[in-house]
Amino acid sequence: MQSIVNQIKTAAALALNHLYPEAKVTDEDILVNETKPEFKGDYTVVLFPFVKSLRQNPAVLGKALGDQLLASNPVFTAHETVAGFLNLTLADALLANFLNATYADQSYGTQASNGNKVMIEYSSPNTNKPLHFGHLRNNFLGWSVAQILKTNGSEVIKANLVNDRGIHICKSMIAWMRYGNGATPESTGIKGDHLVGDYYVKFNDVYKEEVAGLVATGKELAQAEKEAPIMLEAQDLLRRWEAGDAEIYQLWETMNGWVYKGFDVTYKRLGLDFDKMYYESNTYLLGKEIVEEGLQQGVLFRKDNGSVWIDLTADGLDEKLLLRADGTSVYMTQDLGTAKLKYKDYGMDSSVYVIGDEQNYHMQVLKLILQKLGEPCADGIYHLSYGMVELPSGRMKSREGTVVDADDMIDEMIRLAKEQTEQANKTEGFTEEELERLYRIIGIGALKFYLLRVEPRKKMIFDPKESIELAGFTATFIQYTHARIKSILRRSEIAYGPMVLGKDELAPLEKSLLLQLEQYPGIIDQAAREFNPSALCNYAFRLAQTYNSFFDKHQVLKAENEEKKQLRLMICALTAITIRNAMALLGIEVPERM
RNA sequence: GGUCCGGUAGCUCAGCUGGAUAGAGCAUCAGCCUUCUAAGCUGAGGGUCAUUGGUUCGAAUCCAAUCCGGAUCACCA
């Protein structure tokens, strides 16, 4: 069904062309806004663009257009022109029709397939340490955007490219070999990803000591950093791994296995999942043949020492290395190969990379190179760039131990949910299991909402000391609103169903709710186009705000008459569905009671 | 230095395809629970939309310059 705003655009364009055949306006030429609360009306057509072209004064044009709209279209019941703005009042019947059609639609907002296939790569962790708070932003964003696109009609593949090889893993490995004494997650009771992370920290501690020791013997710092024995040993491990050394390969598999088990626990707690896993150990050698082709095409060039480059200076960028002089590949090379592999696997129309803004340049170059190479996957590449999550003290650095651990954060949020629920005396009538579930829903919901409510590209500062609020612009507020509605719906005994509304029967808050509810599919579409879950955070919050005002002002179960009761119950039902569905797109559950 | 991103209320953020007197939340202050859940509602105070210039009937929004903050520009990943 066409949205109300689009109906207005169509009607206004038609009316203008009827009144002024020379106007030749299209739907897209009509600017429709919500009418400001201080004026009478629901939606406003901005007249200024036509004042000039049609050489009419705003008042005359507004009156003519308004009269024509009212005469030709029963969805409008009144109009008023104020200073170039044509304020239109919608018929209650229009909104009643909308309500009748949707109030029982549990999947309200879900669009039919649009034939578009898109891959979202997100999470993509390193396997040498547990997830931290900053990673959560990536994970929540990726999952949510995938869900939004899916609901908006796209076929979506959620992919995870695991960075399971490289020097960083070898650092954990060498520290474990030196100091682990055979420790395992089972023997220590430590979650696998944390155990491996502990040895990564250990590596850095030892490395610092060794460097300091060398400096004390008179070495230059830079030299000492290169010669520290533990670093040399880690580099040796990497070489042995690449050479296929069985012993090393087995340890690598074992420790990665610990990490995956740990990650799985965290992913599961957070409700995150993937359709396709890629591992860099399988992809890091890809891309070399693309380089060969690029050389033949003349897109790439070889320097005297044998290294291969692309010249992007004409595009305002630099020269970029693609193969080292010794023929080995760099990060970019393997990303070129992986992009091609993904496209071969799925042939998707677009490929979204959820990656921090520190890699803006890298992603720009990646896309540009693929375009220059004429790869069909190139144009569909989109970098969903997001800002870093920082602490008041600055960036989180895992090597310096200033990270906020993801698992700790989850525990803390759930603990906080429990504390606040108990403090508010809201635990009555729940079983222990129900309470555990409720605390999880509230705690994790708060965490997700907090990280999704800000536009992705903005960096955000998180102050753990202040902790996260459960009031105001939060998931908790929205969840609470849902629980309030459900409480009413549980008590309603009558069967309610389609109804007819006469003129001017809707109270202002009833009408506002219906207008907002009607906008929901448009919000999903916007969020999908912008890859921006925060649009849904804002929408769900505004809807809950309006509902709470409505709840305060109007009785539902004890409404003035049966008609009103039925109407309000239907509005309640659709509001609950819309809140639940909108929050589901963010990966946030809503409770029946809280 | 080149490129990119950000700068809106004390704090955290919406608003940015140009439209009416720039909005929320938190914090502060004042009200509202014998009535469907007060994790709520109502109201008040709080602004040079970084600065300057330009385009326009109209600029927080577009353009240019400047200032501030951040990212990035490795034969690292």
Side-chain angles (χ1 to χ4, degrees), chain A residues 515-551:
Chain A
L515 288 168
Q516 273 186 65
L517 289 165
E518 195 274 336
Q519 292 164 357
Y520 177 56
I523 300 290
I524 298 177
D525 190 58
Q526 181 206 341
R529 275 185 284 109
E530 296 174 353
F531 301 103
N532 179 16
S534 78
L536 279 156
C537 293
N538 285 306
Y539 173 79
F541 178 67
R542 267 186 286 117
L543 180 61
Q545 263 185 326
T546 307
Y547 182 84
N548 280 321
S549 297
F550 161 85
F551 178 92

Side-chain angles (χ1 to χ4, degrees), chain A residues 124-130 162-166 168-169 172 192-193 196-197 200 252 255-260 263 279:
Chain A
S124 303
N126 290 356
T127 59
N128 63 322
K129 53 180 188 278
V162 182
N163 188 6
D164 63 343
R165 52 135 255 135
H168 46 291
I169 283 93
S172 291
D193 50 337
V196 172
Y200 185 69
W252 170 78
M255 290 183 74
N256 270 346
W258 296 343
V259 172
Y260 296 147
F263 282 172
Y279 297 92

Side-chain angles (χ1 to χ4, degrees), chain A residues 198-217:
Chain A
D198 290 345
Y199 286 101
Y200 185 69
V201 172
K202 179 73 180 171
F203 171 93
N204 284 298
D205 291 346
V206 171
Y207 176 57
K208 256 185 243 166
E209 278 171 30
E210 289 186 357
V211 169
L214 288 172
V215 169
T217 66

Side-chain angles (χ1 to χ4, degrees), chain A residues 35 70 75 139 148 162 197 316 335 389 422 440 514:
Chain A
T35 303
L70 253 65
V75 306
N139 281 281
I148 289 166
V162 182
D335 272 3
V389 181
E422 286 171 348
R440 199 171 49 76
L514 286 168

Side-chain angles (χ1 to χ4, degrees), chain A residues 3 38 79 107 112 178 270 322 331 337 358 372 417-418 556 573:
Chain A
S3 71
E38 54 268 37
H79 73 84
S107 60
R178 273 201 194 183
L270 295 172
L322 292 178
Y331 190 48
E358 59 201 353
K372 286 187 184 296
K418 179 177 157 89
V556 176

Side-chain angles (χ1 to χ4, degrees), chain A residues 50-68:
Chain A
F50 311 108
V51 166
K52 206 171 194 180
S53 61
L54 298 174
R55 309 186 54 170
Q56 296 287 333
N57 89 54
V60 171
L61 179 61
K63 172 133 181 30
L65 179 56
D67 287 346
Q68 174 65 21

